[in-house]
Amino acid sequence: MKLVCLDLEGVLVPEIWISVAEKTGIDDLRLTTRDITDYDELMRRRIEILTRNHIGLDDIRSVIATINPLPGASRFLDTLRASRQVVILSDTFVQFADSLMDQLGRPTLFCNELVVDSTGMIRRYKLRQQDGKKRAVDAFRSMGLEVTAVGDSYNDLSMIMAADHGALFRAPDRIATEFPDLPRFVEYDELLAFLLNHAKSHA
Ligand SMILES: [Mg+2]
């Protein structure tokens, strides 16, 4: 049985933190896993910036409510889900994902959680588990599933390498250059063709 694991931000929806940076005018929040590969360091910096600027969870959620999936993402996902099981593996947080998951037809999502205090300020985050994307792929493979993983950044590479098949979607040149053997796609139609035909393994 075939399963597709997709990253969320950069693949199906815009980078949430960049949208928050734009709406709040706080440029420091533009950093993503594309810039800082250490996720813990990145999240600590984000939480510190939010605290310093008195931005709470509700402020961020109201920004996220104005974000739409990337053009063509919903149609891509609907078509894919008609013939493949699909799970979204994301480093985002349940508190962030709601409105976007609604717009995408409520696909299965495994992600992390934010810890928020009584004043609505984000204090820390709780990982589902360390290296959760890769470990989800390992677990799915242990269940006898043939897994294809697709992502756009550094935090997707371990799940892509752990999968039976993998590809980059709209990845920056830097990552594509470092991993020249991975198929790389820009348009949903070509990614869909790859996923439905199950192109050769990256191994
Ligand atoms: Mg991403």
Side-chain angles (χ1 to χ4, degrees):
M1 185 178 185
K2 292 174 176 177
L3 174 74
V4 176
C5 294
L6 298 175
D7 173 41
L8 179 65
E9 292 173 69
V11 174
L12 297 172
V13 309
E15 293 289 342
I16 292 173
W17 288 99
I18 288 179
S19 305
V20 173
E22 280 165 5
K23 303 260 177 180
T24 55
I26 300 170
D27 250 18
D28 289 353
L29 288 175
R30 298 186 75 91
L31 294 171
T32 70
T33 45
R34 289 182 177 192
D35 308 296
I36 298 180
T37 55
D38 184 323
Y39 182 73
D40 186 59
E41 185 194 334
L42 177 64
M43 274 309 299
R44 282 169 191 275
R45 292 213 358 214
R46 285 168 170 167
I47 291 172
E48 185 191 297
I49 292 162
L50 293 177
T51 307
R52 207 187 319 131
N53 289 278
H54 309 289
I55 294 173
L57 177 61
D58 285 349
D59 302 316
I60 298 184
R61 281 174 61 101
S62 61
V63 170
I64 296 171
T66 68
I67 302 176
N68 297 313
L70 295 169
S74 292
R75 198 171 58 93
F76 159 78
L77 192 57
D78 288 347
T79 310
L80 182 62
R81 288 172 79 194
S83 39
R84 290 286 185 275
Q85 295 298 316
V86 177
V87 170
I88 296 177
L89 299 177
S90 175
D91 283 335
T92 194
F93 306 96
V94 283
Q95 291 98 329
F96 284 7
D98 245 21
S99 63
L100 289 161
M101 288 301 108
D102 263 349
Q103 296 183 69
L104 289 171
R106 286 272 154 201
T108 300
L109 166 72
F110 297 146
C111 65
N112 301 314
E113 275 179 84
L114 291 167
V115 178
V116 180
D117 71 15
S118 57
T119 68
M121 297 301 289
I122 298 165
R123 289 305 172 204
R124 59 188 180 88
Y125 69 97
K126 214 159 62 180
L127 285 185
R128 188 173 54 77
Q129 64 183 160
Q130 279 296 335
D131 208 1
K133 292 186 183 213
K134 175 187 182 294
R135 288 173 70 180
V137 167
D138 288 341
F140 291 139
R141 292 189 73 213
S142 80
M143 294 158 62
L145 300 169
E146 181 183 337
V147 179
T148 303
V150 181
D152 73 323
S153 26
Y154 284 107
N155 64 329
D156 300 310
L157 289 169
S158 65
M159 80 162 175
I160 289 173
M161 293 307 174
D164 298 282
H165 317 271
L168 297 169
F169 185 69
R170 297 184 184 173
D173 290 343
R174 199 165 116 199
I175 295 179
T177 307
E178 280 178 52
F179 298 87
D181 293 340
L182 286 178
R184 182 192 189 190
F185 304 105
V186 173
E187 299 301 330
Y188 286 117
D189 284 351
E190 50 187 24
L191 178 60
L192 193 62
F194 169 79
L195 292 172
L196 296 182
N197 293 331
H198 257 318
K200 284 178 243 136
S201 164
H202 56 69

